[in-house]
Amino acid sequence: MEGKTEKLVIIGSGPAGLTAAIYGCRADLEPLVYMGTKYGGQLMLTSEVENFPGFPDPVLGPDLINKMKSQAERLGARLVQDDVVRVDFKKYPFEVYTPSGVTKALSVIIATGANPRRLNLPSEMRLMGKGVSNCAVCDGFFFRGKKVAVVGGGDTAMEEATFLTKFASSVQVIHRRDELRASAALKKEATENPKISFVWDSAVTDVLGEGKVQGVKVRNLKTGAESTLQVDGLFVAIGYDPATEVFRGQVELDQKGYVALKNGTESSVPGVFVAGDVHDFRYRQAITAAADGCKALLDAEKFVKQKLEVTVPS
Ligand code: NAP
């Protein structure tokens, strides 16, 4: 295999990367997918998914990923559970490094996603999917008539809080300052919603409950006073960190570290395409990431076809 140049390397194995792999097989690009040692992305931490088309009954997040994985494998994708540790997009063919060695590629799709920021409380991780969530659109439905809390003061927190009022009986927004960072429109919508109240200058110090969330402990950062909020759900909406460290200096990133798009799904480097939450901080849904994977593949297919026509004239 030494010296072989791949037509397409896909980095990432959430819905974006795996959809690109499925389409890549159909386009005869024989995709090689570096899935990462912790494959699957955010869906691996989600419980029931009820909004992915094609599943009339709820499907568990990890099951959905495993179905996509099986579909890609059945079509011929090579899925490798390795982390990409370095890339060199200044060379062509591109070079992609893993602990096992270097792979040369005519095109690359970056689909490494973004990681929701955590409060870093042990109880938060223990109750993740059991009342603690990072996605109101995914999980809000399960809190019909219940009390929930949202942590954060940015656009995501306001959007999540407002969305949750469709289901929850009350939404308490816990913010570490007394001023919201969110844009004027989202702030107005949230502050004028009668179901939403604010717990200012406060931090969550513990999530209470054994098998499911029963409340949160909150400390007022100005007075030090501690209190308990009786809630059934906690939505942590304190931002995301795009998984782009390995691409720094190789493709253009925006101010927040997301990969900047230049031409359709193409990055600043022709031949390096982008799909899913690694560039999209706005929609962040499994279905939009999957659609992005498809678009990136169609762009990569055109790019590779041109390259092959130039290098191997028929
Ligand atoms: P963000 O703007 O970075 O806001 C994060 C919020 O969480 C801030 O209020 C921050 O507090 C708080 N926070 C951060 N770390 C915390 C911690 N450890 N403990 C407690 N609170 C913490 O993130 P975002 O709201 O996800 O938005 C990210 C980007 O996406 C923004 O550019 C936003 O405009 C965009 N976005 C746009 C839309 C839309 O246009 N519809 C929707 C969602 C997001 P401080 O304020 O004190 O820093």
Side-chain angles (χ1 to χ4, degrees):
M1 279 297 181
E2 201 172 282
K4 181 185 175 196
T5 298
E6 300 289 341
K7 288 185 248 183
L8 171 66
V9 166
I10 297 169
I11 309 174
S13 56
L18 292 174
T19 304
I22 290 165
Y23 274 75
C25 295
R26 304 273 299 174
D28 215 17
L29 293 184
E30 302 166 335
L32 173 63
V33 185
Y34 286 122
M35 298 201 299
T37 42
K38 287 190 209 155
Y39 76 89
Q42 292 181 53
L43 276 181
M44 299 303 277
L45 298 173
T46 308
S47 51
E48 291 188 341
V49 179
E50 291 204 318
N51 55 6
F52 201 90
F55 294 87
D57 296 319
V59 55
L60 295 174
D63 288 351
L64 182 54
I65 283 294
N66 285 325
K67 281 177 194 292
M68 293 182 195
K69 215 170 134 246
S70 306
Q71 189 176 355
E73 267 172 331
R74 181 179 64 78
L75 291 168
R78 288 160 297 150
L79 309 181
V80 181
Q81 212 172 330
D82 266 355
D83 288 321
V84 167
V85 292
R86 190 183 142 212
V87 293
D88 192 341
F89 295 156
K90 289 174 181 147
K91 290 200 182 127
Y92 196 79
F94 304 124
E95 291 184 352
V96 177
Y97 292 77
T98 68
S100 324
V102 56
T103 304
K104 291 181 195 271
L106 296 183
S107 68
V108 171
I109 293 179
I110 299 175
T112 45
N115 301 310
R117 288 189 200 129
R118 311 265 180 226
L119 298 169
N120 290 326
L121 300 170
S123 51
E124 173 194 19
M125 291 319 291
R126 184 168 49 78
L127 292 164
M128 185 60 66
K130 296 171 185 155
V132 177
S133 169
N134 296 106
C135 178
V137 173
C138 319
D139 298 329
F141 183 76
F142 303 111
F143 294 89
R144 195 178 286 282
K146 300 196 167 165
K147 295 179 183 170
V148 299
V150 173
V151 192
D155 281 341
T156 303
M158 294 311 106
E159 258 188 0
E160 302 253 305
T162 303
F163 181 84
L164 285 164
T165 60
K166 289 187 196 184
F167 306 102
S169 59
S170 70
V171 179
Q172 298 186 72
V173 176
I174 304 162
H175 183 36
R176 62 185 179 184
R177 295 187 294 134
D178 60 0
E179 198 186 327
L180 296 172
R181 174 185 294 279
S183 60
L186 293 176
K187 194 190 303 191
K188 184 168 186 286
E189 199 179 355
T191 50
E192 289 179 356
N193 190 314
K195 279 191 177 178
I196 299 178
S197 59
F198 290 83
V199 182
W200 299 112
D201 299 312
S202 297
V204 172
T205 54
D206 201 9
V207 191
L208 307 173
E210 282 310 314
K212 60 180 183 148
V213 171
Q214 290 178 316
V216 290
K217 261 196 180 165
V218 169
R219 180 186 303 127
N220 185 299
L221 298 170
K222 284 193 172 154
T223 64
E226 298 226 327
S227 57
T228 299
L229 308 181
Q230 306 291 339
V231 290
D232 306 292
L234 177 69
F235 288 79
V236 181
I238 58 175
Y240 288 77
D241 294 315
T244 51
E245 215 31 62
V246 86
F247 308 111
R248 205 164 276 283
Q250 296 289 329
V251 291
E252 193 179 316
L253 306 180
D254 72 11
Q255 276 183 333
K256 293 196 166 86
Y258 291 84
V259 182
L261 295 191
K262 290 293 165 187
N263 174 26
T265 64
E266 204 164 44
S267 72
S268 57
V269 177
V272 176
F273 300 88
V274 191
D277 292 12
V278 73
H279 82 86
D280 171 23
F281 54 72
R282 184 163 182 159
Y283 297 105
R284 293 195 202 110
Q285 301 301 303
I287 191 73
T288 53
D292 253 14
C294 167
K295 289 193 273 181
L297 186 283
L298 295 177
D299 289 343
E301 182 186 7
K302 270 196 198 125
F303 178 89
V304 171
K305 188 165 177 278
Q306 276 173 3
K307 283 281 166 201
L308 291 176
E309 276 167 4
V310 171
T311 51
V312 192
S314 54

